[in-house]
């Protein structure tokens, strides 16, 4: 309101700047504000936009407005979206362009553009012309076209500019604007401009990392340069730039990760690798980076992938590159990272692939690998990795086994015996089976017969055809497929599978289907087969074989379903649009799933994958999977196996996806489905998801499709007379809880667009908690659902209005002895306080119940952390009565005891210090002294224990600042040695303006005793810390003001004044602060300059 008045009345620049600063200081993280969205009205940025338009000539106004908008946009995507829609992009960019020579404006402008990039569709909201200007602005800052030359840009502006471009490129989609790739929105050559910026910013590791990230995300696309020769030049320049960057900062793990990510993911290198010389430089870079300390699994994965791609057989001069890699230490580097990370599945998978690529057709590399113990490493990789990675490990062992010495060692170590045992596993994928069979048969001395790649001549028997297929299959999956005639092989397999009405014998049929599965694949991890033109007749023979033998021969069914899946994944839609082919395939494969679903998980996995591929082409066919099929995969059989709870994540994932498809179009089985699947393994499936699984997000999204079909309705329609109602409700609430918290995308999918489902979910959860007050699972899951979906104050208010807060507090009272439930309830309360009315919080005795819960579970860290967080949130309501109640109920004492009990817990210190700080800033001096006497030692000890944590230190210094206003507490602070601790915090967190601002404010209070008219003495080292702070934060007015106030306090002692007079930098810094901020800091700056010796004036 003050800003609006200043703008409407054409107020002075100073008035506008002061009003804008007040807006920024009201944001969370500034002043005393806490969690929540401070501006619920979407039009809040309007006055800021008006100030920007009317005072565009003032660099101070432009810098302050962009700084405030960036700070608000940083808080949440909603605020960023408000800024985009309320502040015209043209007005913002015109203001930025007008003050291109002002370093502060450049930096703030780039920071704001980076924050706005978090909004989906941000460039489309700006509009085509303004979107191009928004992309061009950071590039112009980096080029130096603003400010009269790139040399004066400043590394902070460079970091913000590169960060803005990374944000704009990383969130860019085909809708921003429609159909225009990011690199086409940049004038000139974006790759060259990025390279120049990275090379110019070589002194800053952050700039280097951001620049390489931009190269990877935005301009690392081979399609951005049409001329092949120019692509070669660009790739070579990029490789040389990366090499220089790593030499400039050899000890930066972040830079190594970013550099290798460019080489391993950019299509310039994965599709159009540069010349052999450039490739060998890249290999050198990868080997050097992998050998640096400390070892990093990310660097290891990317480095191994670089080596794998560089040595692919289809690359030009691949044999020469392979030899150069061997001479350059690539084998040693791969072996080292595989040994360093034996339990890291991704490293083992990439390492096995790299060894397979390096050893292919290279005897020296094979000998070098064998000498380094590669056999043992590959055996570990085979055990720890899965899927295609096991094929790579087996293929590498096959290459090494050419050496008789290695083969003998493998026989003696038992590796061959283990692989022979693996072949007895019926669920083994056909591709892996082929490689292992070839390796075992090599070890058994039958190499010549099984390596026959030409088709048998004349009237050959089934055995000869089986050897022919097996030899070709082994050659394909191991990568040594130069002698395989794919066209001839395809014709031979079609002849075998389609020859007899009843199909070929079982072993031959299985081999034929396995070969067809490889022929249908277009270059995935398990095959390097070139793409063949496939037709419906190709899969017809496979379907016929499955129909004839699949129901009673699991091997044939598994291999056949894999072939069907690969066919429908790789075949274009128009080739599978036949009205007869898709239904026939669906019918045959679903029969296989029902025949083997509760007996053979390997066959079931392939059948379900094939069904998903079929439905991808025609989703309406899902209605044919009702009834028996749903029953098979959700119910127990006589063997006790339930596919939805089988423990095989791939099987469960396919079940989830298929059931989601069925559920969306088949309401008749919805109730049966919910009963069977909620308790049938879906929750375990979600809980077992790992961050290393690249399909985890896809799996979560598939699970969300199930919830949209009626889980909330199931909870609301529960039959109270049903004896199993509580069990069903617990299972349903469990599912809802985990889905609401699995990821941001799944949470938004659960709430639906525009949060339209939020109210129905809230009502369902409240009803379930009211119906079953004694059920800890239902109460705990309900609390977590509230915590997960309360994304803003509106949702918090909705939950409170529906009785959610009262229900959570009620569960705390009824189930007070259940520590897990108590922790969940406290966590929910800490999030919901912002939306609850103060009168309600008083009525339900929230403070008393929270403190009692903490006292009941003093040894439980989770309860203490969440209890402190809840008390912090309660105190942040800024109600004097509630804060006084917390103090009267020994809330501060309980928090202090928890901090002392869990002295090693940084999270306990963070939440506890925040709660005490909030209490101290809102209660009377008498209550503040009560808090200080019980909390001062835990505050100091907690601050010392977590001195490296920005947030803990910030909260702790805030406590000291508030407590030091009380004379008795200030004496305790002096006795506890807190002064030295404050100086230590200032030095450790010198670059964090928020921390040093709080620390200087604390020193202002602690160092002077107004009652005794005394001031503490300062040492030269302590003065040097304050001088360093003033020099580093010259643009932060509050830091300068606090520092000048501390220095003014010290001048009351002649000894301090003498020490300050010996510092040659202090007067200049004071004068610089006056000039920069155009104020005298209430006269303190002039007083200091007068007190310092004349020779320094």
């Amino acid at each position: 309101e003050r800003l609006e008045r200043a703008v409407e009345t054409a107020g002075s620049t100073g008035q506008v700047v002061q009003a804008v600063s007040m807006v920024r200081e009201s944001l969370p993280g500034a002043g005393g504000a806490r969690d929540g969205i401070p501006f619920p009205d979407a039009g809040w940025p309007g006055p800021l936009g008006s100030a920007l338009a009317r005072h565009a000539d003032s660099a101070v106004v432009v810098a302050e407005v962009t700084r405030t908008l960036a700070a608000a946009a940083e808080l949440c995507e909603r605020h960023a979206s408000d800024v985009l829609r309320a502040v015209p992009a043209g007005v913002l960019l015109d203001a930025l362009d007008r003050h291109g020579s002002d370093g502060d404006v450049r930096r703030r402008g780039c920071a704001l553009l980076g924050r706005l990039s978090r909004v989906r569709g941000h460039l489309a909201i700006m509009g085509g012309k303004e979107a191009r200007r928004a992309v061009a602005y950071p590039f112009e800052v980096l080029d130096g076209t603003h400010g009269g030359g790139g040399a004066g840009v400043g590394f902070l502006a460079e970091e913000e500019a590169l960060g803005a471009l990374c944000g704009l490129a990383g969130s860019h989609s085909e809708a921003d604007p429609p159909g225009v790739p990011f690199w086409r929105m940049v004038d000139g050559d974006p790759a060259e401009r990025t390279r120049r910026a990275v090379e110019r910013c070589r002194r800053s590791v952050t700039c280097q990392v951001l620049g390489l990230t931009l190269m990877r995300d935005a301009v690392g696309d081979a399609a951005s340069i049409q001329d092949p020769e120019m692509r070669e030049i660009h790739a070579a320049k990029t490789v040389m730039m990366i090499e220089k960057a790593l030499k400039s900062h050899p000890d930066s793990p972040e830079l190594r990760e970013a550099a290798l990510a460019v080489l391993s993911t950019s299509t310039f290198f994965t599709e159009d690798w540069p010349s052999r010389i450039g490739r060998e430089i890249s290999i050198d870079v990868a080997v050097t980076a992998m050998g640096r300390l400390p070892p990093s699994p990310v660097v290891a994965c990317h480095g191994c992938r670089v080596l794998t791609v560089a040595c692919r057989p289809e690359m030009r001069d691949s044999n020469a590159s392979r030899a150069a890699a061997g001479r350059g230490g690539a084998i040693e580097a791969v072996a080292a990272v595989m040994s360093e990370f034996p339990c890291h599945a991704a490293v083992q998978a990439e390492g096995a692939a790299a060894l397979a690529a390096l050893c292919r057709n290279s005897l020296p590399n094979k000998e070098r690998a064998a000498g380094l113990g590669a056999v043992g490493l590959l055996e570990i990789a085979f055990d720890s990795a899965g899927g295609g990675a096991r094929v790579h490990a087996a293929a590498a062992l096959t290459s090494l086994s050419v050496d008789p010495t290695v083969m003998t060692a493998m026989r003696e170590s038992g590796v061959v015996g283990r692989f022979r045992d693996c072949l007895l596993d019926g669920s083994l994928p056909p591709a892996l089976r082929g490689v292992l069979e070839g390796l075992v048969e090599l070890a058994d001395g039958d190499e010549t017969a099984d390596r026959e790649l030409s088709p048998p001549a004349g009237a050959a028997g089934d055995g000869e055809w089986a050897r022919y297929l097996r030899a070709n299959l082994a050659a394909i999956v191991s990568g040594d497929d130069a002698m395989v005639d794919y066209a001839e092989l395809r014709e031979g397999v079609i002849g075998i599978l389609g020859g007899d009405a009843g199909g070929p014998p079982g072993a031959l049929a299985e081999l034929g289907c396995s070969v067809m599965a490889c022929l249908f694949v277009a270059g995935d991890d398990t095959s390097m087969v070139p793409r063949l033109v496939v037709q419906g007749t190709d899969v017809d023979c496979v379907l016929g074989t499955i129909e004839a033998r699949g129901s009673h021969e699991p091997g044939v069914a598994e291999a056949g379903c894999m072939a069907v899946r690969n066919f429908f994944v790789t075949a274009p839609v128009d080739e599978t649009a036949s009205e007869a082919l898709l239904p026939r395939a669906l019918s045959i494969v679903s029969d296989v799933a029902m025949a083997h679903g509760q007996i053979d998980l390997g066959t079931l996995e392939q059948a379900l994958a094939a069904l998903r591929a079929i439905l991808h082409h025609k989703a309406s066919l899902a209605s044919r999977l009702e009834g028996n099929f749903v029953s098979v995969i959700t119910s127990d059989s006589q063997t006790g196996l339930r596919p939805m709870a089988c423990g095989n994540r791939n099987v469960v994932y396919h079940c989830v996806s298929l059931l989601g498809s069925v559920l969306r179009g088949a309401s008749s089985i919805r109730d049966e489905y919910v009963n069977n699947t909620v308790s049938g393994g879906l929750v375990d499936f979600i809980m077992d998801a790992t961050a290393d699984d690249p399909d985890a997000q896809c799996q979560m999204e598939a699970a969300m499709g199930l919830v949209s079909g009626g889980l909330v309705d199931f909870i609301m329609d529960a039959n109270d007379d049903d004896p199993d109602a509580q069990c069903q409700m617990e299972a349903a609430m469990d599912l809802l809880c985990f889905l609401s918290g699995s990821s941001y995308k799944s949470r938004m999918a659960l709430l639906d667009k525009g949060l339209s489902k939020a109210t129905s979910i809230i009502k369902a959860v409240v009803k379930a908690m009211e119906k079953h007050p004694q059920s800890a699972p239902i109460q705990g899951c309900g609390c977590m659902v509230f915590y997960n979906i309360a994304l803003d104050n509106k949702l918090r208010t909705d939950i409170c209005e529906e009785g959610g807060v009262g229900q959570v507090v009620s569960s705390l009272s009824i189930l007070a002895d259940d520590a897990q439930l108590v922790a969940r309830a406290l966590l929910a309360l800490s999030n919901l306080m912002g939306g609850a009315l103060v009168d309600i919080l008083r009525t339900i005795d929230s403070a008393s119940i929270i403190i009692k819960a903490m006292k009941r579970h003093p040894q439980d860290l989770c309860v203490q952390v969440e209890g402190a967080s809840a008390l912090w949130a309660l105190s942040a309501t800024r109600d004097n009565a509630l804060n006084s109640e917390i103090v009267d109920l020994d809330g501060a004492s309980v928090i202090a005891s928890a901090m002392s009990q869990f002295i090693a817990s940084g999270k306990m210190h963070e939440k506890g210090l925040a709660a005490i700080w909030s209490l101290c800033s809102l209660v009377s001096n008498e209550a503040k002294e009560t808090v200080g006497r019980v909390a001062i030692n835990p505050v100091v000890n907690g601050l010392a224990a977590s001195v490296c944590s920005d947030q803990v230190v910030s909260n702790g210094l805030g406590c000291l600042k508030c407590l030091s206003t009380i004379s008795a507490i200030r004496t305790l602070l002096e006795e506890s040695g807190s002064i030295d601790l404050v100086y230590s915090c200032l030095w450790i967190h010198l670059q964090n303006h928020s921390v040093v601002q709080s620390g200087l404010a604390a020193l202002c209070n602690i160092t002077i005793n107004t009652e005794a008219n005394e001031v503490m003495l300062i040492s030269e080292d302590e003065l040097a810390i304050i001088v360093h702070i003033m020099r580093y934060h010259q643009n932060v007015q509050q830091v300068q003001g606090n520092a000048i106030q501390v220095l003014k306090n010290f001048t009351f002692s002649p000894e301090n004044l003498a020490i300050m007079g010996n510092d040659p930098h202090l007067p200049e810094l004071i004068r610089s602060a006056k000039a920069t901020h155009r104020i005298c800091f209430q006269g303190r700056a002039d007083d200091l300059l007068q007190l310092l010796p004349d020779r320094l004036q």
Side-chain angles (χ1 to χ4, degrees), residues 412-555:
E412 292 174 355
S413 66
V415 175
V416 175
R418 286 187 63 250
F419 289 166
R420 189 179 286 108
D421 294 338
C422 285
L423 291 173
L424 301 177
D425 183 4
S427 64
L428 203 65
L432 181 58
R433 180 180 295 277
V435 178
L436 294 183
E437 284 178 348
L439 182 58
V440 169
E441 287 167 356
L442 271 176
D444 291 340
D446 194 19
E447 178 182 0
T448 303
D450 284 352
R451 289 285 175 155
E452 184 62 45
L453 299 179
S454 300
D462 292 338
E464 292 177 87
W465 279 107
R467 281 193 294 273
Y468 164 68
L469 295 180
R470 188 179 294 113
N472 279 277
L473 183 62
I476 291 170
V477 297
S478 66
D480 295 329
D481 57 344
M483 300 301 294
V484 175
D485 187 334
Y486 286 104
E488 185 179 62
L489 178 62
R490 172 187 173 191
E491 293 300 324
V493 174
I494 291 176
I496 292 171
L497 296 180
D500 299 326
L508 193 56
E510 182 178 350
L511 279 171
C513 291
S514 298
V515 171
M516 290 301 282
C518 289
L519 295 181
F520 290 152
V521 172
D524 71 354
D525 288 339
T526 62
S527 176
M528 294 299 177
V529 182
R531 176 66 181 272
L532 296 177
V533 178
V534 294
Q535 301 173 356
T537 53
D538 291 343
V539 78
D540 253 340
C541 61
V542 176
L543 290 172
T545 303
I546 298 174
E547 192 172 27
R549 295 186 171 275
S551 61
H552 55 280
E553 293 185 23

Side-chain angles (χ1 to χ4, degrees), residues 132 135 172 179-188 190 218-219 223-224 226:
R132 291 181 180 276
V135 173
H172 178 69
V180 180
F182 180 86
W183 50 265
R184 284 189 180 170
M185 302 178 68
V186 184
D187 294 331
V219 295
S224 62
Q226 301 300 319

Side-chain angles (χ1 to χ4, degrees), residues 104-183:
D104 199 29
V105 171
R106 290 198 305 267
R107 181 161 66 93
R108 304 298 184 191
C110 291
L112 176 56
L113 291 175
R115 305 303 185 272
L116 296 181
S117 66
R118 64 165 58 187
V119 180
R120 181 173 178 81
H122 58 284
L123 294 178
I125 295 173
M126 291 182 182
K129 178 182 177 182
E130 306 305 337
R132 291 181 180 276
R133 289 182 64 192
V135 173
Y137 182 81
F139 271 116
E140 291 169 358
V141 171
L142 291 173
D143 292 342
T145 54
H146 285 303
V153 173
F155 77 94
L156 290 176
E158 291 168 342
E159 288 182 5
E160 293 292 357
L162 287 169
L165 287 171
C166 288
L168 292 167
S171 58
H172 178 69
S173 66
E174 291 185 357
D176 294 325
V180 180
F182 180 86
W183 50 265

